[in-house]
Amino acid sequence: MGDTVKTPATAHHPWAAMNQEELEAEYSPSRWSKRHGAQQIIGIHVKVATDLSQVAFSLTHRLNIPYSDQGPRAKLDVFGEDLPAESVLLVYVHGGYWQQMNKEVSSLFVKPLYHAGVVTVVVGYDLAPQVSLERIVSEVRAAVLWACKLARERGSKGVVLAGWSAGAQLVTQVLSTPEVKGDTPSSTDLTPYKDLIGGVVTFSGVFDLRPLVKTSVNEPLHLTDSTAWAMSPLASVGVMGRARPSLRLLISVGQHDSPEFKRQSKEYCQACVEAGMRAECVVVEGMDHFSIVEDLAQEKFSLTQRIVSFVKLCTTSPHADTPKHDKKDH
């Protein structure tokens, strides 16, 4: 994979042969759950996520901290600052196709992480169509910078980024696109913290935005084929690989995600491996697009345990090998 954002030919991609109806189905996660109908699952997920997130507020927390003056949602919450100073920080970015959800329902797995000695930063951001996708990426980069500064001030062992669905695009795009350097308040240069960010975890992510252009998802985004590719982490894996060759990635996707979501995760993982990074893709059995994050609230959930192990690997054993092939999680 190269690092140019020039839009490549798409004929060899499976999605290129799909009509609009087929693309709409593939990129509508609610249609693939085995638990609930497409009309019910999003509402059920919001209710479950809200209830599970409330558990986090029993822990030490700071809420609604502005990390940027860019917009009213550019705020974050921090949980677990009473943990030892060297504790790892995990920065979590929610999904919702850049136009839904919020940080208030995104603290699902804060408590298990806290018990594992991890400080969690949950990021909010402004949504489309009020702002562009470029603006959202800029906000998330500012949030990551804020978290890195906190980690450095605390003497943390490291930072791990995590994102679900659209949040997976955001945390990987932040690390694979140019940064705004300088001494101004708008500077979002992460270069001084390059060695602090040790890993990325994604849940049912989207890494190539071109298939979305002809779907209803794009109505508030107004992406073209070229701008969709420019906003795709897959387009600039080489940039991230050269800037952060020691970066580790844990790319997870649900067994009951759509074939396109599973293909995207596997393709992105392979691209990361080819770019020299340590990446593995895990297909989590029994999980759909929503349960894969809901079940993270459970300490004994296999993916929760894998994340805890991954965080430790990223921040304590930078030279250890990580498997570079697809896995099934049982």
Side-chain angles (χ1 to χ4, degrees), residues 35-173:
R35 301 178 297 144
H36 306 289
Q39 301 302 315
Q40 294 82 36
I41 191 166
I42 294 179
I44 292 172
H45 171 70
V46 171
K47 175 66 166 61
V48 170
T50 300
D51 292 344
L52 292 174
S53 294
Q54 291 300 311
V55 176
F57 297 109
S58 65
L59 305 173
T60 301
H61 57 269
R62 286 193 288 155
L63 304 179
N64 297 316
I65 305 168
Y67 61 79
S68 168
D69 59 1
Q70 295 190 63
R73 287 175 175 258
K75 298 177 182 179
L76 53 79
D77 301 336
V78 185
F79 298 89
E81 289 183 284
D82 56 329
L83 289 169
E86 68 272 14
S87 298
V88 177
L89 264 72
L90 184 138
V91 183
Y92 178 69
V93 181
H94 68 79
Y97 269 147
W98 310 279
Q99 55 201 279
Q100 296 174 318
M101 304 296 287
N102 55 61
K103 67 179 177 62
E104 284 70 28
V105 298
S106 302
S107 304
L108 297 83
F109 60 124
V110 165
K111 193 169 185 178
L113 289 179
Y114 178 84
H115 288 163
V118 177
V119 178
T120 308
V121 177
V122 181
V123 177
Y125 52 87
D126 290 294
L127 304 175
Q130 284 73 30
V131 298
S132 67
L133 182 51
E134 291 87 347
R135 163 76 171 269
I136 296 172
V137 172
S138 176
E139 288 188 7
V140 172
R141 181 180 288 115
V144 172
L145 178 64
W146 187 98
C148 286
K149 289 179 178 177
L150 175 63
R152 184 64 55 80
E153 291 168 0
R154 286 174 56 89
S156 171
K157 290 185 289 188
V159 173
V160 172
L161 308 185
W164 169 54
S165 197
Q169 179 269 342
L170 291 170
V171 295
T172 50
Q173 186 73 356

Side-chain angles (χ1 to χ4, degrees), residues 2-8 173 176-177 225-226 229-232 235-236:
D3 31 301
T4 176
V5 295
K6 181 179 179 182
T7 308
Q173 186 73 356
S176 55
T177 51
D225 287 340
S226 60
W229 183 239
M231 287 287 103
S232 298
S236 47

